[in-house]
Amino acid sequence: AAAVAGDITAASAGRAVDVVLIMAGTNDLGNQRFSTQFIFESICILHEVAHLQNCPSIALSIPDLSCSAIRPHENLKGRRHDINDLLAKWCREGRFLANGRPEQFINIGALLPYGPRARQNGYWE
């Protein structure tokens, strides 16, 4: 977490950062050693680090993915859904407060769902 805080400070280089967008957890889904709760709590730590640097944050969902092509034997969609639900609930309960401004949860899947049409249009590889 300390490295992340340093990265936020270095990235701002003396400039004010308006907001930090955090999309994390995608690569952790396939690691069965990590519970959904562990992944969720790790994402929360990233938000806490941003807040310690006085940077408000917005939680972006783990996006849709083609689970069947990657690991058909694992419940990646279910794990993704569970983590996204935890993030959305965390945001709704108002625990995301930095600089007196409430943050939001943005469901990337609702904005840009994975599917044949999105792939055909070049939005997904």
Side-chain angles (χ1 to χ4, degrees):
V4 175
D7 292 344
I8 292 171
T9 303
S12 65
R15 298 177 309 227
V17 175
D18 294 326
V19 67
V20 175
L21 304 175
I22 298 176
M23 179 190 291
T26 305
N27 292 337
D28 298 328
L29 287 176
N31 189 334
Q32 294 301 314
R33 295 180 319 205
F34 300 149
S35 69
T36 54
Q37 186 65 33
F38 176 83
I39 296 169
F40 164 70
E41 289 173 3
S42 297
I43 295 169
C44 292
I45 290 170
L46 295 174
H47 288 275
E48 290 172 12
V49 169
H51 293 194
L52 288 172
Q53 298 295 315
N54 295 316
C55 299
S57 63
I58 294 176
L60 302 176
S61 69
I62 297 175
D64 290 352
L65 58 145
S66 175
C67 298
S68 59
I70 299 170
R71 297 199 173 147
H73 61 283
E74 295 178 19
N75 184 17
L76 299 182
K77 285 185 180 183
R79 287 168 52 86
R80 177 183 59 82
H81 184 269
D82 291 347
I83 295 165
N84 286 341
D85 281 351
L86 288 168
L87 285 170
K89 181 181 178 194
W90 191 38
C91 291
R92 273 194 316 270
E93 290 178 352
R95 291 195 217 164
F96 278 159
L97 294 174
N99 302 327
R101 297 181 351 202
E103 285 89 335
Q104 294 185 28
F105 171 79
I106 298 176
N107 183 348
I108 299 301
L111 296 174
L112 187 60
Y114 181 88
R117 192 165 131 205
R119 286 190 61 173
Q120 181 180 17
N121 289 332
Y123 300 131
W124 293 95
E125 295 180 354

